[in-house]
Structures are given as C-alpha cells and as structure tokens.
Amino acid sequence: MPSLIKVRNINELKEINASKIRGFIKNQSSFLTTSLDEILGKDHVEQLARAAGFVKRSSLVNGKNFLDLLLSNATQGALLSLEDLSRDFAVAHGESISKQGLDERFNSEAVFFLKSILNKMLDNHLLGTQKSGTKSPFTSCRLRDSTRFGLPQEYASKYKGHGGATQTKSMISIQYKFDLLTGDQVDLQLTSGCQNDQGDSPESIKNVKEGELLIRDLGYVTTMYLSGVMKRKAFFLNRLPSQINVYDPNSKEVISLKNVYKRLIRYSIPYIELDVLIGKKAQLPCRLVVSVCEENAAKKRLERTTKNTNSTGHKVSEETKWRSGLNMYITNAPEEKIHAKNIYQVYRMRWQIELIFKVWKSIANIDKLKKVKIERFVF
C-alpha cells in the first residue's frame, strides 16, 4: 500500500529536489512508525494482529516487526525481492526468516490487519481534529481525487481494467482524500480501475458531515453529488462540468455564457459572480464565479474537446466554444465563507493531491512493480 504522506504547502514541495523527497518519504515512514507507537502502542498493535488472525501463536514475525519491515522499505514496495526483505528483517531483529516463510505472511489476514491499523489511525486523527478547535469558516476542508495505473494481468480478478485496445486487463484506482486544514489523510480506498469517479461519488456522500467544505475534480461532480452535499448542510467548491447548464433563478432560462464572456472582455472585469440554478431538473441554487481563461489553456481545452466530440461523430457547438474560454466555479458556500476573488486560489489547492500522486509514482514507485502475491501488493 502507498506510503502515507503529508503535504502542507505546494511551493515548499515544488522546491524539494529528488534526493530531498526521498528523505521526506523516509521521514514520513519514521513519523508513521512513531505515531503507531504513541497512538496505539506495541501491545495494541499485537492485539489487532491477533484479532485479524495474522498472529495466532508466538512467532518470530509479530504484528509490530512486520509493520516496521514494510514501513522501512516504503520507497521500494513490490520492487524488492523476498530475499531483500528477509535480509532487512535479519539486520533489524538479529534473527533470520526464510523468504518462503516471509512470503507466507503476506496473506488475507495480513491485509485485514493493515486495514484495522489504518482505521485506528484515522479514527484517532478525526477525534483529534474535532478537539483541535481550528479557526476556519468550515469544520474541515476535504480534498478528494484519484490516480490509476495498470497492473499485471494476473490481478484482473481483483482489480479489473478496461481491456480492449488499451490492453489494460488489470488496473487499480487509488481514491484518496485528505483534510487541507490539517494536511492529514482522511480516507484511502483501492478500487478497480474501470470504476469511474462518478461511480464513487454516491458512496462517498454518505460520509459527508455538516459544515465541511468539499473540493473535488470534475470527474466526481454530478447534480446528485451536489444535492447530497447540500442536504447534509455541507459545502462544495467545483469547476462547472461541461454537460451541466446554469439557469437564471428568475426566468429559469439558460444563461448565455457567450454574453458573460463578452461582458468580461468588454469591461476588462477580472471576474463575474452570478446567482444561478444548476441542472435542468435539479435546479440547485448556488454561486457561479466566472473569469476569462488564459489563451493557451483555452486553445488546448478546445482542441481536446473537439477531438473527443469528433470521435463520436458530432460537431462542437458554439456554446461549447465559448465555454472553452472561461474558467467557471460553482459553490454553495456564502460569500462570508469564500469571497469570489479567492475562489480560484482556494480551488487550486486541490493540486496538493496531484503532487502527492506524483511523489508516490516518481519516488515511491507505486506504479512500477513486478508480479508478486496480490496480498503483498495490497499491503
């Protein structure tokens, strides 16, 4: 399983070179090991190992030293051979275990044990967050995104891919969520790569709490998701999906984005804020903040849209062309919580997750693996 990494500041991470990032990951592994000791303690870890069936009797490999072994090799993951891990275990504990014996410890009970550890750590964090009294207009600010990569085809029964021309018979999706106010992980789920983000949205709505601000990529945004957030008295901040129209609250007519674009250009306005209704049927009330997109970005966006549209045998509509030149953000948070001029700055913090994914792939090598037991890969 990928290392648990805290990223608190985008600029700070951008300035770190590759060698420093390796040290960063190593420090995070040490931090997690220390946190396990402080929060759970060795005895509690062993209780969880026995409850999961990972430890059934006195053994050379117990819950604590097995976790330590994996955390100390977090930057290599499944690239390491069993022989490498056996050697590291001998160095750390002064006792030898065969690679066959270690291989047997990567089983379903080990996966269940890890999940119980992760759940305990998350529960402790959530309790700490509730007691922290963080000064913010929101109780928390939850960022969510996903990353996908192909796996050996032998894993297809557990993690199904798209197959077909892409030849990705097995693919995994890592659904990751963390709290921007604390920089800590809130949730991490492994699903099949063929499951899209919108399919995950209905399930994730169940965990939304009153007063939270949720910032998610376009892939998660549907009117059902937005409605679910509002019903739970929470708040969303998202880009406006291209397939969703906005309506005037009074006339109930579709708002012309062409007119909005021309107004922005004519009067050199940095942004326009409108009260709108989202969705033809849903008619969800929210704020729409619109600004002109940079020329190069708008050109690339239109090229991508044109390519996708032409592949289906259709032509790009005039309205879509105007949309390509606009940055559009929707939120149900009132102005006193997020001022329109700060909408973009707040939303772009979502890229912290993208940076985490980049670290996982470029340094922790989570997408570079050889064929190993699926339980070892998951662990």
Side-chain angles (χ1 to χ4, degrees), residues 156-281:
S157 61
K158 177 71 174 178
Y159 299 108
K160 186 178 180 181
H162 296 290
T166 61
Q167 297 298 309
T168 51
K169 294 182 179 179
S170 181
M171 180 182 291
I172 193 168
S173 171
I174 301 177
Q175 297 284 341
Y176 186 66
K177 180 167 65 175
F178 78 98
D179 190 341
L180 184 62
L181 297 184
T182 62
D184 289 336
Q185 174 178 285
V186 175
D187 188 30
L188 187 152
Q189 298 290 332
L190 307 182
T191 66
S192 291
C194 61
Q195 178 176 319
N196 61 29
D197 293 336
Q198 288 189 3
D200 176 73
S201 285
E203 182 65 27
S204 61
I205 289 175
K206 297 178 182 178
N207 300 318
V208 173
K209 300 293 189 300
E210 181 177 344
E212 293 181 342
L213 173 64
L214 307 179
I215 304 177
R216 299 187 178 183
D217 183 66
L218 275 172
Y220 294 90
V221 184
T222 64
T223 53
M224 180 184 296
Y225 161 73
L226 300 176
S227 177
V229 173
M230 296 173 74
K231 287 179 180 178
R232 286 161 177 77
K233 298 181 179 180
F235 305 95
F236 57 78
L237 171 57
N238 299 99
R239 286 172 56 198
L240 177 68
S242 60
Q243 73 277 14
I244 297 180
N245 285 324
V246 291
Y247 297 81
D248 183 280
N250 298 314
S251 67
K252 301 298 188 297
E253 297 292 329
V254 176
I255 293 176
S256 171
L257 296 177
K258 174 182 177 179
N259 291 340
V260 173
Y261 181 92
K262 289 185 174 181
R263 182 180 172 190
L264 285 165
I265 296 297
R266 181 183 303 165
Y267 298 106
S268 299
I269 305 173
Y271 64 86
I272 289 177
E273 178 179 355
L274 301 170
D275 290 327
V276 299
L277 299 176
I278 297 292
K280 184 175 182 179
K281 293 183 178 180

Side-chain angles (χ1 to χ4, degrees), residues 12-224:
E12 178 184 351
L13 186 57
K14 285 182 177 178
E15 294 171 358
I16 299 176
N17 58 34
S19 62
K20 289 182 179 180
I21 293 179
R22 290 189 180 92
F24 175 70
I25 295 176
K26 182 178 180 181
N27 289 338
Q28 290 301 309
S29 295
S30 299
F31 169 80
L32 184 57
T33 301
T34 301
S35 297
L36 282 170
D37 291 338
E38 293 177 350
I39 296 172
L40 300 180
K42 181 179 179 180
D43 290 342
H44 196 174
V45 169
E46 295 307 324
Q47 289 175 11
L48 293 174
R50 290 185 179 278
F54 178 72
V55 174
K56 298 177 182 178
R57 56 184 179 276
S58 180
S59 172
L60 174 62
V61 180
N62 56 40
K64 182 64 168 60
N65 58 32
F66 191 60
L67 279 177
D68 289 346
L69 174 66
L70 295 173
L71 289 172
S72 65
N73 290 287
T75 61
Q76 297 299 315
L79 291 175
L80 288 176
S81 67
L82 288 168
E83 187 173 344
D84 292 330
L85 292 175
S86 299
R87 189 183 303 115
D88 287 352
F89 187 89
V91 170
H93 302 287
E95 298 186 68
S96 299
I97 181 173
S98 68
K99 62 180 184 180
Q100 291 84 2
L102 187 58
D103 184 52
E104 291 175 358
R105 304 318 303 269
F106 288 98
N107 50 39
S108 58
E109 288 81 7
V111 174
F112 187 76
F113 167 49
L114 177 64
K115 288 182 177 178
S116 65
I117 289 289
L118 182 60
N119 287 336
K120 288 292 183 181
M121 295 290 287
L122 290 176
D123 287 345
N124 182 275
H125 162 68
L126 291 174
L127 288 173
T129 300
Q130 291 171 1
K131 297 176 181 178
S132 65
T134 304
K135 292 183 178 180
S136 168
F138 307 101
T139 56
S140 65
C141 180
R142 303 288 173 87
L143 310 185
R144 189 182 187 94
D145 208 339
S146 67
T147 187
R148 293 172 171 79
F149 53 89
L151 300 175
Q153 64 179 10
E154 288 80 4
Y155 298 162
S157 61
K158 177 71 174 178
Y159 299 108
K160 186 178 180 181
H162 296 290
T166 61
Q167 297 298 309
T168 51
K169 294 182 179 179
S170 181
M171 180 182 291
I172 193 168
S173 171
I174 301 177
Q175 297 284 341
Y176 186 66
K177 180 167 65 175
F178 78 98
D179 190 341
L180 184 62
L181 297 184
T182 62
D184 289 336
Q185 174 178 285
V186 175
D187 188 30
L188 187 152
Q189 298 290 332
L190 307 182
T191 66
S192 291
C194 61
Q195 178 176 319
N196 61 29
D197 293 336
Q198 288 189 3
D200 176 73
S201 285
E203 182 65 27
S204 61
I205 289 175
K206 297 178 182 178
N207 300 318
V208 173
K209 300 293 189 300
E210 181 177 344
E212 293 181 342
L213 173 64
L214 307 179
I215 304 177
R216 299 187 178 183
D217 183 66
L218 275 172
Y220 294 90
V221 184
T222 64
T223 53
M224 180 184 296

